Amino acid sequence: MTEVKTVALVTGANKGLGRETVRRLAGKGWQVFLAARDRERGGRAAEALAEEGAEVEFVELDVTSDESVAAAVKAVSERVDRLDVLVNNAGVGGPMMSPADMDADALRVLYEVNVFGQVRVTHAFLPLLRRSERPRIVMVSSSLASLARGADPARPEHGFLSLDYASSKAALNMIVSQYARALPEFKVNAADPGNPATDMNHHTGVHTVAEGADAIIRLATVDPGGPTGGFFGSDGPIPW
């Protein structure tokens, strides 16, 4: 009997954490769709991974566009009959600005990607996910979203002020909680990749992308008895 492959899609995956997540999942023998808004870069990333023997295909997907997301769903539906794992990795960071100087327009830019984009993609792919026997959704969050850690002067999150980014990830955490309660047949969790060195932080992070992807991979591969509606880093649960 032919083994049924797990099918996954990772957004924002032409580089950094997203690309590493695709590489790791494909390395498990999964069929993985590498989704990115830049057709040229995304296509090159998928081709490079495919040349390594991975079953990876590129899908153009801009999380801020209803039309782009709908086209991506159509493209994936023409290739597979279901989606087992959705990793909402696409995200942007904001300018280094004091909360007192941040206005609503600056905040809206990040929310369009980090919050609205995640809901747009998840909602659009739900029909394909519902066809899976073990549907899983991973939202890539941040420990900066933790109210408990932000309130603790002993934690590094306390000293990092980022009204737009931190609040967008806190909103995403509540979205995870809401989805998990509304979709009990799913496993829906938030992953904190730590502080990997990526383009978003100008490669100033203290972790490698491989280390950052650990929590994402763990939640993407969670077993049927595993958690849902939680917030996890590589070392375990993170307080809300």
Side-chain angles (χ1 to χ4, degrees), residues 143-159:
S143 65
L144 293 174
S146 170
L147 297 177
R149 288 189 173 182
D152 183 355
R155 293 287 312 182
E157 293 89 347
H158 178 79

Side-chain angles (χ1 to χ4, degrees), residues 21-167:
T21 298
V22 170
R23 187 188 71 79
R24 298 263 292 274
L25 295 179
K28 295 180 177 296
W30 292 15
Q31 180 178 357
V32 186
F33 291 95
L34 185 158
R37 64 178 178 174
D38 189 301
R39 182 179 302 177
E40 184 177 346
R41 290 186 217 173
R44 283 202 307 264
E47 287 174 8
L49 290 171
E51 287 173 0
E52 297 174 8
E55 190 169 351
V56 175
E57 296 181 57
F58 170 66
V59 176
E60 185 174 355
L61 192 160
D62 179 350
V63 304
T64 67
S65 165
D66 289 335
E67 293 76 15
S68 176
V69 173
V73 172
K74 183 175 184 295
V76 172
S77 298
E78 291 172 350
R79 297 287 297 120
V80 295
D81 63 358
R82 75 189 189 286
L83 184 63
D84 300 301
V85 178
L86 171 62
V87 179
N88 280 305
N89 167 74
V92 293
M96 297 302 293
M97 183 183 296
S98 167
D101 296 327
M102 180 74 60
D103 62 18
D105 288 337
L107 195 68
R108 190 174 293 111
V109 171
L110 259 76
Y111 271 59
E112 188 59 52
V113 178
N114 296 356
V115 179
F116 308 143
Q118 315 309 308
V119 173
R120 180 178 289 111
V121 171
T122 302
H123 182 262
F125 276 100
L126 274 178
L128 273 177
L129 285 160
R130 290 184 190 275
R131 296 178 190 169
S132 171
E133 293 183 0
R134 288 180 52 202
R136 285 148 278 168
I137 300 173
V138 182
M139 302 286 196
V140 178
S141 184
S142 168
S143 65
L144 293 174
S146 170
L147 297 177
R149 288 189 173 182
D152 183 355
R155 293 287 312 182
E157 293 89 347
H158 178 79
F160 193 93
L161 298 178
S162 176
L163 175 60
D164 51 359
Y165 184 77
S167 69

Side-chain angles (χ1 to χ4, degrees), residues 24 138 191-193 210-220 232-235:
R24 298 263 292 274
V138 182
D192 168 37
E211 291 170 332
D214 284 346
I216 301 171
I217 299 299
R218 186 172 294 114
L219 295 174
F232 300 91
S234 60
D235 297 329

